Each structure stands twice: as structure tokens, then as C-alpha cells.
Amino acid sequence: MNNFVSKLSGISLKKDESAVFWAGQAGIIIKTVSILLGADIYLSNDCAVGGGYRKAPPLFEPSDIKFDALFVTHFHRDHFDATSMPALTASPDTAVYTARDCAEKNREAGLEGRSVYLDKGAIYDITVHAVDCDHGTQTLDAVGLVFQVPGGSVYMTSDTVLNPDIAKTAAKFLPTVMFVPINGDYGNMTEEEAADYA
């Protein structure tokens, strides 16, 4: 697991460059000269509680990386990792942004009052746009994220079904890189649907 952490810390970037990594499951990491962001970082096996399972092994331990900001698109266990969150947010300098449906999870993790809630259509300090996604009626507060970074923009659809209207809205940000959870189940797209969405 240290290979990933070594690679991440060893990357040297110029002011107009960004590095983007898949962090396993639905998670991503973005590194620029000035900031290290993580979104939907899932390192435990919490989804096993509901009968789910990890689709990929964790790439690092929760205490291995100090993020400047962490984002959570919705409350599901494989997005809000309650087991890993205390170590991921151990530094008081780590800003925490979560969907509104994470309020209870934030309280449980000791993040109440520290977490900024993501509202669709809003723009946040580090030029992150919270955009719509369609993960079903049980997850109405779920958000997609567009990160404006040096060299372009990174669009994280979050868990969503194929929805042309949402795709049109996200396309206005001219994404350079797009992350789409694909499994054809649990309110996500199939491979073919994801290709159509792109």
C-alpha cells in the first residue's frame, strides 16, 4: 500500500498542472501544487454490513495521507466511510464537505459543526461546483462534483443513473476528466450507459 502513497507524495507539479488518481471504489484524489483533495474515499469494509462487498482493495491506510479537503457525495457506507473518517479527518486543517444527507454520519464521526454541506448549484471556496445526480428517491441529497483545477476540470458524477438532462448541465463545465461509477445496479449505470453519458 505504501507504493501508492509514495507515488502520490513523489509527484512534482507545476502551477498549471494537476494530477488525478482513482482511489478505489468510487473515490478520487486530486493533487495540485497547492492542495490535495479527496472525494468519496472508502478504505474500510463498512459496506459488508448491508451485504455489499469491496470491489477493489484499499490503496492506502486512512492515516497515510493528510488531505487539505475531503468531499462526500452522499451517505452510503461506501462513500461516507464511518470507520476511516476519524483518521482521514484527524488534522483540524482538513476541510470537510458532505452532502446534506450525511448529517447523522457527521454527528457520529464528531464532524458536526465542522462539515460544510454541499447544495446542488452552489460553488465552494476551492472552486468546486456541486451538481445534480440521480441516485434514486432514497438519496435525493446526493451530489455530483466538478473540480476546477489547473489544466482543466474533473467531473465526478457520483452514483447516478443515465440522465441526459444532468449530463447536459455537467457538460457546461467542459470536463477534462470524468469519473463514473459503473455496475449496472444500485442506481448506477452500465458500461453502455456510461459511454452514452460521456
Side-chain angles (χ1 to χ4, degrees):
M1 283 196 239
N2 287 335
N3 289 342
F4 178 79
V5 177
S6 297
K7 183 173 185 176
L8 180 66
S9 61
I11 287 181
S12 179
L13 297 167
K14 297 176 183 169
K15 285 173 77 171
D16 61 345
E17 294 178 327
S18 300
V20 183
F21 301 86
W22 175 57
Q25 298 292 115
I28 67 168
I29 294 173
I30 301 171
K31 180 179 180 177
T32 72
V33 167
S34 58
I35 199 162
L36 184 64
L37 310 175
D40 286 354
I41 303 297
Y42 176 60
L43 303 170
S44 72
N45 198 28
D46 281 3
C47 64
V49 173
Y53 61 95
R54 291 193 62 86
K55 309 285 191 277
L59 298 176
F60 55 95
E61 295 294 329
S63 58
D64 285 348
I65 298 173
K66 179 187 171 286
F67 290 98
D68 295 299
L70 276 173
F71 293 81
V72 180
T73 60
H74 59 289
F75 73 92
H76 288 157
R77 286 185 176 97
D78 56 338
H79 295 264
F80 190 110
D81 186 348
T83 297
S84 301
M85 197 58 82
L88 288 169
T89 60
S91 169
D93 297 329
T94 300
V96 181
Y97 299 81
T98 67
R100 288 195 174 273
D101 61 6
C102 294
E104 184 178 334
K105 295 283 188 190
N106 283 331
R107 278 192 294 279
E108 291 170 6
L111 296 172
E112 190 174 35
R114 182 174 163 191
S115 186
V116 174
Y117 289 106
L118 297 164
D119 292 315
K120 295 171 185 178
I123 303 170
Y124 296 87
D125 296 347
I126 46 183
T127 320
V128 178
H129 303 267
V131 297
D132 203 3
C133 68
D134 183 356
H135 194 31
T137 57
Q138 300 298 311
T139 323
L140 295 176
D141 290 325
V143 296
L145 299 170
V146 179
F147 299 89
Q148 302 288 158
V149 294
S153 62
V154 178
Y155 174 34
M156 182 178 186
T157 68
S158 183
D159 285 353
T160 190
V161 295
L162 177 62
N163 184 317
D165 291 333
I166 293 173
K168 287 175 188 170
T169 301
K172 294 175 185 174
F173 294 100
L174 303 174
T176 312
V177 177
M178 185 168 91
F179 286 88
V180 185
I182 298 171
N183 60 26
D185 204 353
Y186 308 109
N188 286 310
M189 292 180 253
T190 64
E191 297 92 331
E192 292 83 5
E193 289 169 333
D196 288 344
Y197 193 90

